[in-house]
Amino acid sequence: MTGHNPTHTTFSFAPPTDDALAWHLRLDDLAEKITQSFPGAFTQLQHELGPRDADALSFAVQVSDGEWLEGLATTPYEGMGSVMVLDASAAEAAVFAVWLRDSFIPSPELIEFTSEFALNNGDTSTWKLPRSGPAGEIAEALQQHIDSVGAS
């Protein structure tokens, strides 16, 4: 699927565009759940990020032996936001996406994603994350997305 040199990109996970408040995202809750779920995780809250005042949470979590994933969650409006994993392979992002889907958001059908590759190619559509399945299956869906937007 990803070979020895997998493609890395930023993946963005968010609630459905027609229900942007579905997650009721609070960064302090996310930080707490990350540190409870990922031993050794790092989280840091930031304020006034970006062109419009927005709160943000930077984080780093270990997704496999010796492999760490960095991310950023932002809430430009109360209860509304998204979570990004930065410079990640599909397999690395899938570990976090499964955790987000199964342990943080209120329901598994409330998660969509896109990537830096898609956005850079002018594709603003979102993909539904599979409602179930282990990280390997989710990695396949993320890799299919990367392949379809011409990143590989």
Side-chain angles (χ1 to χ4, degrees):
M1 171 182 65
T2 56
H4 292 324
N5 294 311
T7 302
H8 283 72
T9 189
T10 294
F11 289 95
S12 177
F13 302 98
T17 53
D18 63 349
D19 192 6
L21 290 169
W23 291 5
H24 309 288
L25 183 59
R26 290 186 35 171
L27 297 179
D28 55 340
D29 289 343
L30 181 61
E32 182 180 341
K33 293 218 183 208
I34 285 173
T35 56
Q36 289 173 352
S37 300
F38 293 93
F42 166 82
T43 63
Q44 181 178 2
L45 287 169
Q46 304 169 11
H47 301 285
E48 299 179 13
L49 180 71
R52 181 195 175 286
D53 287 352
D55 289 335
L57 172 73
S58 57
F59 61 89
V61 297
Q62 188 171 9
V63 292
S64 65
D65 251 358
E67 295 294 323
W68 286 80
L69 184 64
E70 292 184 16
L72 181 69
T74 59
T75 53
Y77 300 98
E78 186 175 338
M80 178 191 308
S82 62
V83 179
M84 295 179 288
V85 291
L86 312 172
D87 192 30
S89 68
E92 293 164 343
V95 172
F96 191 79
V98 167
W99 174 83
L100 190 64
R101 179 196 67 197
D102 296 347
S103 301
F104 185 73
I105 64 170
S107 182
E109 72 272 357
L110 295 176
I111 187 167
E112 295 180 354
F113 71 95
T114 190
S115 70
E116 179 181 21
F117 284 131
L119 296 172
N120 286 345
N121 287 331
D123 182 350
T124 59
S125 63
T126 56
W127 291 44
K128 289 269 190 195
L129 194 75
R131 294 175 61 163
S132 63
E137 289 178 23
I138 302 309
E140 289 177 17
L142 296 175
Q143 186 64 45
Q144 181 182 16
H145 166 82
I146 289 172
D147 295 344
S148 77
V149 297
S152 297

